[in-house]
Amino acid sequence: MLNKFRLLTPGPTPLPERVRLVLARDMIHHRKGEFKEIMAQVQVSLKTLFGTTSTVLPLSCSGTGAMTAAVYNLFAPGQKVLVIEGGKFGQRWREIALSHGLEVESIVVPWGKAVAPQAVEAALKADPSIAGVLIQLSETSTGVLHPVEEVARITRNSETLLLVDGISAVGLSPCPMDAWGVDCLLTGSQKGLMLPPGLALLALSERAWACAEKQTPGCFYFNLIKEREYVHKGQTLFTSPVGLILGLKESLDMLLENGLRALYAKQWALTMLTRASLTAMGLELFAKKDFAWGITSVMLPDGVDGVEVLRMAQEKHGVSMAGGQDHFKGRMARVGHMGWVDWADVVAGIYALNDCLCSVGGYCGSRDYIEQGLAAYRAALAGEPGEPLPLVYNS
Amino acid sequence: MLNKFRLLTPGPTPLPERVRLVLARDMIHHRKGEFKEIMAQVQVSLKTLFGTTSTVLPLSCSGTGAMTAAVYNLFAPGQKVLVIEGGKFGQRWREIALSHGLEVESIVVPWGKAVAPQAVEAALKADPSIAGVLIQLSETSTGVLHPVEEVARITRNSETLLLVDGISAVGLSPCPMDAWGVDCLLTGSQKGLMLPPGLALLALSERAWACAEKQTPGCFYFNLIKEREYVHKGQTLFTSPVGLILGLKESLDMLLENGLRALYAKQWALTMLTRASLTAMGLELFAKKDFAWGITSVMLPDGVDGVEVLRMAQEKHGVSMAGGQDHFKGRMARVGHMGWVDWADVVAGIYALNDCLCSVGGYCGSRDYIEQGLAAYRAALAGEPGEPLPLVYNS
């Protein structure tokens, strides 16, 4: 009763009441009229969100399912792909590609850094047989934002397809796929889209569709060509995750209510809030230059047991944040500011983190770290100089 | 306002309010304590429902995803399987097996009939290299119940694995997998389990696990060995469909409240109600001898436009039923009595069907077709002679 529970992880995220009430609706049939109408409405909104005129496919699986679907439908075993590996999800691209019998070349980027577009350019120049570049927009394990727009400038003038895992980015920071020249953009329902997990969304460019048309899909369950046929009839190939599709209609209505600019401006301001506050606490931001807009990763002071700090934050303050993964386990906090989260939730998370750091190590940030965060938030919303909202929109 | 909407299709099904309220809950994290506890509780109930001591895996996909997972994890390309093809979902087994490079032999059974166990025995005797038999317990497209217990008596004494698609059967009619000797039992969330679609459940026998351990999974997204490791930690390999798992806890609590016998007795009685009523209407039941306990398929009179009849039933009476598939489109009605449906809902469906048949063709059943159905329902519940509840239980 003392604290509300606040979920500040990089997915799943808190859900709006409007969406939760829709999720409580009784079932309708996935091959009949009302559902088809909702599928058509969702399609319009998804195209806006993805910045594309292509069909956006809803798939009944997690984000990893959509990554698998992309690789298994766009490439044939034996083809070569270039993977940008700067974290756990870059590694996942590699594992998926290898499982499909692809030859994999990797650009290994230190965790916390973004790939240099020049490195991609050089790799493609050195080996023009590379059929695809596999990258994250936001690398959830590090909070890094990779320069997808710049990489797309390189790939779109070549034969190489650019596949973008936008799982922790779509609905949080811009990725207008047609304008940038992205060939595959995919996401999951449990991040920017303010839904429970279990639904993935995937769109292909025209030239990616042409590739898919030439392939036999590597897995029966993921058949993008057939899925597209069904989506054009307002259905999905196999049984639709009906509840999540109904919820998606509601969440997209909310996300697009004030336009994409307002959506991204909010995320940018929350990011500024988080970064300014954590910096004022004297902590070291992990993604220094190229950072995601839905998650902020921060190094914890040496000697502090990060697992314990995050456990305390939940127990004492009701705030659930994520820790570091793999070799950063116990040394990092990842503060999610995605989904149905506003500035006050983020302040609660930052306060909890500071308080627990003080408890375990006698470590305390500067007295006004919250006010510094809020000042940055206000400045970002007002468009004041400093780190203005990058003006990349598709509408 | 005149009619409530009643969903009497063979999935999705109506959901209980208790489940719907859980589905409206805010998110929790899928790698943390509360979720792990729920996963552990769900595991206990699932083992009871599946009649097994093996782990039951929750997968983030539709039922077809689970069918794919089974085939891609248990067999290597080049192996041979025997498919029982007596409807649309038997065909799906064949398509999945072919997509994985398996050699497929089929026993084609006329739609509406169950396979003869002797035919399976003869096929396995003729070719001992057959590595698996792929069958439906309930073939959703025809309403037929295949004799899985008898087929398992044959396979369990051989090297051949028996894979059972229980998508429209689990939670509706018994399939105690350990007692019968079933090697793989799978289902989807949107039928007997009273949940929205988007979650599949799959269990393997010990010898099936031994096969899976020897295989490289044919699709990255479906890795049963790794899923099992995660389930033992109260998690899933990739992001869990959190909302559906929370809902599953609630629906399993309801389903098992009075034991499996009560659960199946209800389904048997609903089936008796439906069959007696439709027969009294003068209609021809499609699955004559071996029928499912969650869906009843019935031929419509010659010359009647079945599509129009079902459209009217929805428009005039608020009842949504399914029609025939493929070559039975327009000639058949499939009345679902699964999920959160009771006798009065079924009566509503039967009344709607009779009324609409009268409207389009001047065709009317006997005056007391509803009372005949209800009499059969009462007799079944009371265990009166006639067609008593088959006593096959695992508890």
Side-chain angles (χ1 to χ4, degrees), chain B residues 13 35 57-58 64 126 138 168 184 193 215 244 324 348 367:
Chain B
T13 68
F35 184 74
L57 306 176
T64 299
S138 157
S168 63
C184 172
L193 295 181
Q215 307 289 339
L244 289 173
R367 202 172 258 224

Side-chain angles (χ1 to χ4, degrees), chain B residues 127-204:
Chain B
D127 187 350
S129 80
I130 290 172
V133 173
L134 280 52
I135 195 170
Q136 272 65 41
L137 177 49
S138 157
E139 168 57 74
T140 316
S141 64
T142 63
V144 161
L145 198 76
H146 284 299
V148 165
E149 185 179 10
E150 287 73 11
V151 172
R153 261 191 219 120
I154 300 159
T155 52
R156 74 186 179 206
N157 295 317
S158 72
E159 298 289 301
T160 309
L161 297 180
L162 177 61
L163 279 64
V164 177
D165 159 6
I167 294 174
S168 63
V170 170
L172 299 166
S173 65
C175 188
M177 62 178 286
D178 289 358
W180 286 3
V182 167
D183 293 296
C184 172
L185 179 62
L186 59 90
T187 194
S189 50
Q190 78 280 13
K191 312 268 183 177
L193 295 181
M194 312 190 298
L195 287 169
L199 174 70
L201 299 154
L202 182 153
L204 298 183

Side-chain angles (χ1 to χ4, degrees), chain A residues 9 11-15 20 24 26-27 29-30 32 60-62 65 72 96 99 197 219-222 238 240 320-321, chain B residues 9 11-15 20 24 26-27 29-30 32 60-62 65 72 96 99 196-197 219-222 240 320-321:
Chain A
T9 56
T13 67
L15 310 179
R20 295 195 288 111
D26 212 340
M27 280 295 101
H29 199 267
H30 60 295
K32 302 201 176 191
S60 182
C61 58
S62 77
Y72 281 49
I96 293 171
S99 78
C219 178
F220 182 84
Y221 188 59
F222 298 116
F238 306 123
S240 312
S320 177
M321 291 172 286
Chain B
T9 56
T13 68
L15 310 179
R20 295 195 288 111
D26 212 341
M27 279 294 101
H29 199 268
H30 59 294
K32 303 203 175 189
S60 182
C61 58
S62 77
Y72 282 49
I96 293 171
S99 78
C219 178
F220 182 84
Y221 187 60
F222 298 116
S240 312
S320 178
M321 292 171 286

Side-chain angles (χ1 to χ4, degrees), chain A residues 5-249:
Chain A
F5 174 66
R6 283 191 171 77
L7 187 58
L8 297 181
T9 56
T13 67
L15 310 179
E17 187 191 35
R18 272 174 64 180
V19 170
R20 295 195 288 111
L21 292 177
V22 171
L23 293 172
R25 269 197 62 183
D26 212 340
M27 280 295 101
I28 57 174
H29 199 267
H30 60 295
R31 304 275 181 222
K32 302 201 176 191
E34 186 186 356
F35 184 75
K36 292 180 187 176
E37 275 169 39
I38 289 168
M39 281 282 283
Q41 291 160 358
V42 159
Q43 195 54 221
V44 173
S45 301
L46 284 174
K47 286 178 176 176
T48 302
L49 190 67
F50 277 59
T52 186
T53 57
S54 292
T55 306
V56 184
L57 306 177
L59 303 173
S60 182
C61 58
S62 77
T64 299
M67 293 168 77
T68 306
V71 170
Y72 281 49
N73 277 266
L74 293 174
F75 307 110
Q79 281 192 293
K80 188 169 179 180
V81 292
L82 178 69
V83 172
I84 312 306
E85 268 189 62
K88 215 172 156 60
F89 294 95
Q91 291 167 5
R92 185 156 299 170
W93 269 137
R94 175 169 48 79
E95 290 165 12
I96 293 171
L98 290 174
S99 78
H100 188 47
L102 303 187
E103 198 184 326
V104 176
E105 185 176 323
S106 287
I107 299 182
V108 176
V109 183
W111 285 41
K113 300 266 188 280
V115 70
Q118 299 78 359
V120 177
E121 192 162 25
L124 294 184
K125 202 165 273 176
D127 187 349
S129 80
I130 291 172
V133 174
L134 281 49
I135 195 171
Q136 271 65 40
L137 178 49
S138 157
E139 170 56 74
T140 316
S141 64
T142 64
V144 161
L145 199 76
H146 285 298
V148 165
E149 185 178 12
E150 287 74 10
V151 173
R153 259 189 223 122
I154 299 159
T155 51
R156 73 185 178 205
N157 295 317
S158 71
E159 299 289 299
T160 309
L161 298 181
L162 178 61
L163 279 63
V164 177
D165 160 7
I167 294 174
S168 63
V170 169
L172 300 166
S173 66
C175 187
M177 62 178 285
D178 289 359
W180 285 4
V182 167
D183 293 295
C184 172
L185 179 63
L186 59 90
T187 194
S189 50
Q190 77 280 13
K191 314 268 181 176
L193 295 181
M194 312 191 298
L195 287 170
L199 174 70
L201 299 154
L202 182 153
L204 298 183
S205 68
E206 263 181 52
R207 64 181 198 162
W209 277 117
C211 284
E213 278 156 14
K214 277 180 263 160
Q215 306 290 340
T216 306
C219 178
F220 182 84
Y221 188 59
F222 298 116
N223 187 322
L224 300 184
I225 296 288
K226 283 198 187 163
E227 288 288 357
R228 182 173 58 169
E229 282 169 30
Y230 273 80
V231 170
H232 290 169
K233 296 185 286 182
Q235 304 182 42
T236 58
L237 176 54
F238 306 123
T239 306
S240 312
V242 174
L244 290 172
I245 298 280
L246 301 182
L248 179 63
K249 161 78 174 64

Side-chain angles (χ1 to χ4, degrees), chain B residues 93-109:
Chain B
W93 269 136
R94 174 168 49 78
E95 290 165 12
I96 293 171
L98 290 174
S99 78
H100 188 48
L102 303 187
E103 197 183 327
V104 176
E105 185 177 322
S106 287
I107 298 183
V108 177
V109 183

Side-chain angles (χ1 to χ4, degrees), chain A residues 277-297:
Chain A
S277 247
L278 294 172
T279 303
M281 281 167 63
L283 298 179
E284 187 194 345
L285 295 171
F286 188 62
K288 296 203 170 47
K289 211 168 72 59
D290 305 284
F291 46 84
W293 299 16
I295 171 182
T296 298
S297 50

